Amino acid sequence: QTLSVALLGIHTMWNEHFGIAPVEMQASGIILCAHNSGGPKMDIVTHGKTGYLATDAQEYAQVFLHILSNSDEDKLESIRNAARASVTRFSQENFNQRFKATIMPLFT
């Protein structure tokens, strides 16, 4: 319930391999600012499209200021929607389908 009313989420862990917290934030419609390393950089966030990436306090502050002072509600909603759509690739159903597709050739 708390996530559903938040505007901005922050994830500062450096070089985290994946991290379910950023995915949960995006799925709930929070605009995410994550550390520009590891899983968020490689697999989760497309900077400016599904969220934002930052490396130090100044960059995080710049992102926060950009989001909080942005009066273009359509742009913010576009980021929220793109993030929600993006995280569907991490669903259990999607995992099961890809796993089966990967191992089936071993049995034929």
Side-chain angles (χ1 to χ4, degrees), residues 91-102:
S91 71
Q92 183 69 43
E93 181 181 334
N94 204 11
F95 173 83
N96 290 343
Q97 290 173 355
R98 291 191 331 228
F99 181 75
K100 287 177 189 176
T102 300

Side-chain angles (χ1 to χ4, degrees), residues 51-105:
Y52 294 91
L53 297 166
T55 56
D56 58 29
Q58 181 151 349
E59 287 182 10
Y60 277 100
Q62 288 171 344
V63 168
F64 300 161
L65 183 61
H66 171 72
I67 293 168
L68 296 174
S69 65
N70 192 334
S71 61
D72 185 354
E73 190 59 37
D74 290 339
K75 173 65 175 167
L76 297 177
E77 192 62 27
S78 173
I79 293 170
R80 289 184 193 106
N81 290 336
R84 283 186 191 114
S86 174
V87 299
T88 61
R89 62 197 155 117
F90 303 121
S91 71
Q92 183 69 43
E93 181 181 334
N94 204 11
F95 173 83
N96 290 343
Q97 290 173 355
R98 291 191 331 228
F99 181 75
K100 287 177 189 176
T102 300
I103 66 165
M104 288 310 291

Side-chain angles (χ1 to χ4, degrees), residues 24-57:
E24 288 176 343
M25 283 188 257
Q26 288 183 313
S28 65
I30 292 173
I31 298 175
L32 173 65
C33 183
H35 195 274
N36 191 11
S37 65
K41 179 180 182 177
M42 299 298 296
D43 301 316
I44 300 170
V45 178
T46 302
H47 186 78
K49 182 175 179 187
T50 64
Y52 294 91
L53 297 166
T55 56
D56 58 29

